[in-house]
Structures are given as C-alpha cells and as structure tokens.
C-alpha cells in the first residue's frame, strides 16, 4: 500500500476509533461484564475512564485530518492500549468474575493497537542503511 493511501486509511481509522471511544459508556451499560469492571469503585471509576476515552476520542478525530503530524498521540495510544489490555487480561484471568473482559474490552484495545500500528508503521523513520519493505 502506498503512503498516500495508508495515510488516508489511518485518518479513517482515527475517525472510527475516535467515534468508538465515545461509545464506551453505552457499551458498559449494554454489556457490563465485557466493558465495566465490577470490583473497585463502581460509577466513579467508570466515569473517570469514560472521560479519559472521550478526550482521546476528540483528539483522534482532530488528528484524522493530518495523521502524520500526530505520531506521538498514535504511538502513545498503541503502547498504552497494549499495556492496558495486558493488565486487564491478567486481572480478568485472576478474577473469574471479570472473564467477560477477555471477549470485550481486552480484544478491542488490542485491535485498536494493531490497526494503528499497521497503518502508521510504514511512515516511521528508518535508520540510514535499513531497506524499506
């Protein structure tokens, strides 16, 4: 895929992810066992995490216009999504009441990280002397 097409698809992915980040609260109401942690502090935690993802969603939608200028935001999202999914997966395996997350938000975060990584990886600077794909 050429860089121009990849940039376009990355912009579309950022728009879609940004919009989806606004649906975390409704998803947690529709499918609580897959999107809402039951131990902890109930609605306070849910409100905090939904606020963080809503802000990220706004920034993703803004970044969709010119993704190459927002590499650090994309990189942060890739790595923080992997870390977040890994921690949640371990906690869901440990706490059998939370296993629904292994089919809900854990794979969703890994999907976001994978799509963003794939669509942004070709434009990352390469060291001198390293051949491109």
């Amino acid at each position: 895929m050429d860089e121009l097409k990849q940039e376009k698809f990355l912009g579309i992915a950022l728009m879609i992810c940004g919009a989806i980040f606004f649906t975390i609260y409704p998803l947690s109401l529709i499918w609580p066992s897959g999107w809402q942690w039951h131990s902890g502090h109930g609605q306070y935690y849910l409100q905090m995490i939904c606020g963080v993802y809503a802000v990220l969603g706004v920034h993703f939608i803004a970044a969709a216009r010119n993704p190459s200028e927002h590499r650090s935001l994309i990189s942060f999202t890739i790595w923080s999504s992997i870390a977040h999914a890994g921690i949640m997966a371990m906690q869901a395996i440990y706490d059998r009441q939370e296993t629904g997350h292994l089919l809900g938000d854990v794979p969703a975060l890994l999907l976001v990280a994978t799509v963003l990584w794939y669509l942004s990886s070709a434009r990352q600077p390469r060291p001198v002397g390293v051949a491109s794909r």
Side-chain angles (χ1 to χ4, degrees):
M1 175 178 341
D2 68 33
E3 285 190 37
L4 191 58
K5 190 178 275 188
Q6 196 166 2
E7 177 91 356
K8 180 182 177 184
F9 284 134
L10 181 56
I12 292 168
L14 289 169
M15 277 293 238
I16 291 169
C17 288
I20 289 172
F21 287 156
F22 285 105
T23 68
I24 291 174
Y25 184 73
L27 282 170
S28 72
L29 298 177
I30 294 166
W31 183 21
S33 65
W35 293 90
Q36 188 178 129
W37 289 86
H38 296 92
S39 56
H41 303 291
Q43 291 298 316
Y44 294 133
Y45 168 79
L46 181 60
Q47 291 168 0
M48 285 188 296
I49 201 74
C50 288
V52 168
Y53 277 103
V55 170
L56 184 58
V58 168
H59 285 273
F60 264 33
I61 291 168
R65 292 185 206 118
N66 193 350
S68 62
E69 288 187 7
H70 301 278
R71 284 187 192 178
S72 61
L73 174 66
I74 295 167
S75 181
F76 167 79
T77 303
I78 292 167
W79 289 108
S80 66
S81 294
I82 292 168
H84 191 166
I87 292 166
M88 284 194 303
M90 288 186 289
Q91 291 174 343
I93 290 167
Y94 177 77
D95 185 348
R96 294 201 180 262
Q97 292 180 342
E98 304 293 353
T99 57
H101 295 281
L102 296 173
L103 298 173
D105 46 11
V106 170
L109 281 170
L110 292 175
L111 179 63
V112 166
T114 301
V115 168
L116 293 178
W117 172 81
Y118 176 77
L119 292 173
S120 65
S121 63
R123 284 189 314 286
Q124 298 300 320
R126 289 182 177 71
V128 175
V130 175
S132 62
R133 298 182 227 172

